[in-house]
Amino acid sequence: MGGFFSKPEVKPPSPPLLDKEWRTVPWNAKGEYLQSVRCFEPFQPHNDERNEDQHIRILLHGPAGHGKSTFINSVDTIVRGRMAGRALADAIGGKTFTKKYTTYKIKKGGRGTFYPFVFNDIMGLEKDEGVCEEDIKLAMMGHVKEGYRFNPCSKLSTDDPNHNTNPSLSDKVHVLVCVISANALWSKEVPMDMNKVKEEASSASKVHSLEDIMKKMRNVRLEASDMGIPQMAILTKIDEACPEVDADLRNVYKSKYVKKQVKVLNKSLGIPLNCIFPVKNYHSEIAPNDDLEMLILMALRQMLSKGEDFVNDCKRA
């Protein structure tokens, strides 16, 4: 009826899930994807060329505590078929746990054989601490030797014994992957759940800190672009960021929240939407999870494809 004492009409809240996935996932094809990774052989020898030392080098970078090391452990777990934890991760988070430049190879079959791709873990980015931007750039160019201990106050100098003066193609980075938590992204355009804001950004200074880190990440990405290195992004902790995804991982590409966070990351760093992959890492699980593994395998397969193309282009140049 209306009138002076009538209550204003209250619109029902928008449902958190879309009617259908905005990106198709072949959920039942995990075996096929896993087999393609296990059978990945990118380099065929030409004439007398020796390829035993050649591999796809994938460098992970991003804020401290956002899941770089746990992503490496998750890939190791999936490919080898058993729970792994070689890349040490901080269970508390917030401060960088990785101190040295470390290469992780994944064992394949017999003793001394490895899959033809490796991951490099580096110190996390922080507002006033963490890895120097210049050290990430030097790592991409292959100038950082294994075991180098990062110094937040200064970059690796050319006279340091850990500086690789003449890097080979194998020493250089072939794919740059940004790793960031879906909990951490924030946009003024997105009405956020205040509980999430309080958990991940307990003060305005924490939000500004992330903005500063994102600027550093964009600078690193632009440097990688100048080198021709392909870039991707991994959006971690999607289960913590979205209750519907926590209830069922297959809701990941129906979640409006996750989709919006992918778009925020796209706008913040300039990484194409089809190069951003939401994932959940193995964390508390002690048994295999096919849906978790499928999301990671989709990202991994694209990393390998992009890395192979980059290496082949370098060889032809």
Side-chain angles (χ1 to χ4, degrees), residues 167-225:
S168 66
L169 177 58
S170 185
D171 295 325
K172 298 176 181 180
V173 169
H174 309 130
V175 186
L176 178 69
V177 179
C178 153
V179 180
I180 191 163
S181 167
N183 266 333
L185 291 174
W186 177 80
S187 171
K188 294 177 182 178
E189 301 173 359
V190 189
M192 297 282 287
D193 182 332
M194 288 310 298
N195 289 327
K196 294 187 178 74
V197 173
K198 289 176 182 178
E199 290 172 4
E200 285 298 320
S202 56
S203 67
S205 62
K206 190 166 184 179
V207 174
H208 293 312
S209 175
L210 180 62
E211 291 175 350
D212 290 336
I213 292 173
M214 295 292 278
K215 289 178 183 177
K216 292 181 180 181
M217 294 169 69
R218 182 162 178 81
N219 290 339
V220 171
R221 169 174 141 64
L222 293 175
E223 190 71 23
S225 295

Side-chain angles (χ1 to χ4, degrees), residues 7-208:
K7 295 181 179 180
E9 182 180 351
V10 179
K11 293 183 179 180
S14 175
L17 297 178
L18 300 167
D19 291 334
K20 63 179 182 178
E21 293 178 327
W22 57 271
R23 178 182 290 170
T24 302
V25 178
W27 292 108
N28 298 321
K30 194 208 86 170
E32 175 189 336
Y33 274 64
L34 179 57
Q35 186 66 13
S36 70
V37 169
R38 287 175 171 170
C39 296
F40 180 66
E41 293 291 345
F43 309 111
Q44 300 299 322
H46 299 283
N47 300 324
D48 295 328
E49 182 182 1
R50 299 176 64 187
N51 286 320
E52 60 266 26
D53 294 328
Q54 184 63 69
H55 44 244
I56 302 297
R57 185 178 296 277
I58 303 165
L59 176 63
L60 306 182
H61 81 113
H66 282 229
K68 297 182 294 298
S69 298
T70 49
F71 180 77
I72 294 172
N73 289 334
S74 296
V75 171
D76 195 344
T77 294
I78 294 168
V79 175
R80 297 180 67 195
R82 65 180 188 181
M83 289 294 168
R86 291 186 300 142
L88 298 179
D90 187 358
I92 299 176
K95 289 291 183 180
T96 186
F97 194 70
T98 302
K99 305 293 185 182
K100 296 181 179 180
Y101 189 62
T102 308
T103 301
Y104 291 95
K105 299 179 179 180
I106 300 177
K107 291 183 180 179
K108 179 181 183 180
R111 181 180 299 178
T113 60
F114 301 90
Y115 285 96
F117 54 89
V118 301
F119 290 93
N120 276 101
D121 196 9
I122 62 172
M123 189 180 220
L125 282 162
E126 298 180 38
K127 182 181 179 182
D128 300 314
E129 301 177 32
V131 64
C132 294
E133 285 180 50
E134 290 300 321
D135 275 350
I136 301 179
K137 296 172 186 177
L138 289 171
M140 290 192 293
M141 293 186 284
H143 289 303
V144 180
K145 290 185 178 180
E146 177 78 5
Y148 166 64
R149 181 175 288 274
F150 295 103
N151 183 347
C153 300
S154 63
K155 70 173 184 177
L156 175 66
S157 62
T158 55
D159 58 354
D160 190 296
N162 287 299
H163 185 276
N164 183 6
T165 306
N166 298 304
S168 66
L169 177 58
S170 185
D171 295 325
K172 298 176 181 180
V173 169
H174 309 130
V175 186
L176 178 69
V177 179
C178 153
V179 180
I180 191 163
S181 167
N183 266 333
L185 291 174
W186 177 80
S187 171
K188 294 177 182 178
E189 301 173 359
V190 189
M192 297 282 287
D193 182 332
M194 288 310 298
N195 289 327
K196 294 187 178 74
V197 173
K198 289 176 182 178
E199 290 172 4
E200 285 298 320
S202 56
S203 67
S205 62
K206 190 166 184 179
V207 174
H208 293 312

